[in-house]
Amino acid sequence: MDKTFENTKKLNWRGLICEYGEFLPVTPGARVITLGEGATPLVHAPHLSQIKGADVYLKFEGANPTGSFKDRGMTLAITKAVEAGSSAVVCASTGNTSASAAAYAAKAGLACIVLIPAGYIALGKLAQALIYGAKVVQIRGNFDRALEIVRELGDSKPVTVVNSINPYRIEGQKTGAFEVVDQLGDAPDYHFIPVGNAGNITAYWRGYNEYLKAGISTRLPRMMGVQAAGAAPIVLGHPVVNPDTVATAIRIGNPASWSGALGAKDESGGEIFAVSDEEILSAYRLLARYESIFCEPASAASVAGLLKTPVDPGSSVVCVLTGNGLKDPDTAISQIEVPTAVDADLDAISAALGL
Ligand code: F0G
């Protein structure tokens, strides 16, 4: 067992590879690189449940070690890179993949290179990649261009690509679906999820199918993928050359797992549709104010999607909240009026409070 968890047996959680190893391509005896990811809360959402006349739950992936769902895939991708004898990993990222890759690479003692679109990555994510010690290259170009270059680097240099074109990423991420079933007792009727590069919707659909096949669940959810209107290639049916949205995490115009997303939608009888930036920000504020969950804007896209979609009365709904709101303080601050400073005395404070 990883040293970190030797003294936490009471909590009985050893990270995804140990907990779900029988469903993952893990080599017995391999060195496992984990930060204790997974076991994220599935929070019941009374306000949303009332609005929708359904039973709504929020899977808060911002509770993972680096604050996003990316840790699920990264524990496996980095474990496999170590097993293969790799000494360096590389990824393109809108921020969360780079934060996660940097953390797990540091844990494993691997070098980490990340390519990010200059000016379009939330401050907290940039801070994470840097403080974990990654070599960060900010490119004058968007995520899609960064991923093209990363593919070329993977083909021509001795580096392991840890974007979701690396199959271990999607394998690890499917554990999100396992946890939803383990927490709810069965699969929900609807599963709402933000779609950017489309790896996560592909992974959840695989996870739900594997649990059904294993007899752990009895049914499959309808997969409801949500894109930002300014970055909605799958909805439009063609790549978007200049994607644009306040939800920078899903500012992607040519998703790598496009066919996986379509497969999930078609096989589950679900939908992939778009929400506007205004709808995303409205859901983002609602989640913090009424459900006490501070997620990042891209994550709120799943709830924005739920809010505009009719669901069957009394049905069960899971929305994945993919990342932590603390990653993007600028957007949070832009949504509220920040109070000005007052003198540190009772009268001034009472006056400011209108008391
Ligand atoms: N939500 C957040 C917070 C994300 O960071 C991402 C993707 C998604 C949703 C979409 O997931 O790509 O599997 O469809 N972020 C990637 C990154 C692209 O580089 O961090 P997807």
Side-chain angles (χ1 to χ4, degrees):
M1 193 192 299
D2 187 284
K3 269 212 166 351
T4 317
F5 304 107
E6 273 175 7
N7 298 315
T8 58
K9 290 210 180 77
K10 223 190 271 175
L11 297 179
N12 205 26
W13 186 263
R14 301 159 296 164
L16 293 176
I17 291 180
C18 283
E19 298 298 334
Y20 291 116
E22 62 186 293
F23 292 95
L24 298 172
V26 188
T27 311
R31 180 180 164 212
V32 171
I33 310 298
T34 177
L35 294 168
E37 60 295 314
T40 57
L42 185 71
V43 183
H44 188 245
H47 183 76
L48 286 167
S49 296
Q50 195 182 14
I51 291 175
K52 300 306 296 185
D55 215 8
V56 180
Y57 293 85
L58 306 169
K59 181 72 171 152
F60 186 43
E61 290 290 274
N64 275 300
T66 77
S68 86
F69 72 97
K70 302 290 180 177
D71 296 344
R72 295 184 181 276
M74 211 52 78
T75 181
L76 192 61
I78 299 291
T79 292
K80 286 290 177 183
V82 168
E83 189 181 323
S86 175
S87 57
V89 296
V90 63
C91 67
S93 183
T94 57
N96 282 323
T97 300
S98 58
S100 187
Y104 284 80
K107 179 90 183 180
L110 304 182
C112 179
I113 301 163
V114 306
L115 268 62
I116 55 174
Y120 290 95
I121 146 165
L123 194 63
K125 302 174 188 179
L126 179 61
Q128 284 182 291
L130 292 168
I131 201 80
Y132 288 128
K135 203 173 181 69
V136 175
V137 185
Q138 304 213 57
I139 68 158
R140 285 189 283 273
N142 61 25
F143 170 86
D144 302 294
R145 180 68 191 126
L147 185 55
E148 282 170 13
I149 298 166
V150 161
R151 286 179 195 267
E152 287 170 31
L153 281 172
D155 289 342
S156 60
K157 310 278 181 198
V159 290
T160 302
V161 176
V162 292
N163 280 104
S164 54
I165 52 176
N166 176 329
Y168 298 122
R169 281 279 314 281
I170 297 201
E171 278 294 297
Q173 284 175 209
K174 75 187 180 188
T175 59
F178 297 166
E179 286 185 18
V180 169
V181 172
D182 288 342
Q183 289 166 311
L184 268 188
D186 208 336
D189 295 309
Y190 299 90
H191 180 100
F192 284 80
I193 183 167
V195 175
N197 212 23
N200 211 26
I201 188 171
T202 305
Y204 266 92
W205 183 236
R206 187 182 298 174
Y208 281 124
N209 276 280
E210 289 188 11
Y211 249 29
L212 180 72
K213 206 176 281 171
I216 299 169
S217 54
T218 67
R219 57 199 182 135
L220 292 166
R222 262 175 269 182
M223 298 298 289
M224 310 296 281
V226 189
Q227 298 207 287
I234 301 177
V235 179
L236 296 170
H238 59 78
V240 173
V241 180
N242 291 311
D244 194 26
T245 167
V246 67
T248 52
I250 51 173
R251 186 176 170 272
I252 294 174
N254 191 12
S257 296
W258 193 314
S259 64
L262 288 180
K265 172 190 84 111
D266 292 340
E267 291 164 27
S268 73
E271 285 174 43
I272 296 181
F273 59 102
V275 292
S276 68
D277 279 6
E278 290 70 31
E279 289 168 326
I280 289 173
L281 291 172
S282 165
Y284 170 75
R285 291 188 302 263
L286 177 153
L287 281 164
R289 181 68 185 83
Y290 293 99
E291 304 293 2
S292 300
I293 294 192
F294 183 26
C295 64
E296 60 174 291
S299 310
S302 60
V303 170
L306 168 63
L307 285 170
K308 70 188 289 187
T309 307
V311 294
D312 295 336
S315 55
S316 58
V317 177
V318 168
C319 298
V320 182
L321 300 181
T322 45
N324 197 304
L326 291 169
K327 285 172 172 278
D328 190 355
D330 295 321
T331 300
I333 295 292
S334 78
Q335 293 300 298
I336 45 176
E337 205 175 311
V338 180
T340 50
V342 298
D343 289 339
D345 65 59
L346 189 59
D347 288 345
I349 292 167
S350 298
L353 291 172
L355 293 173

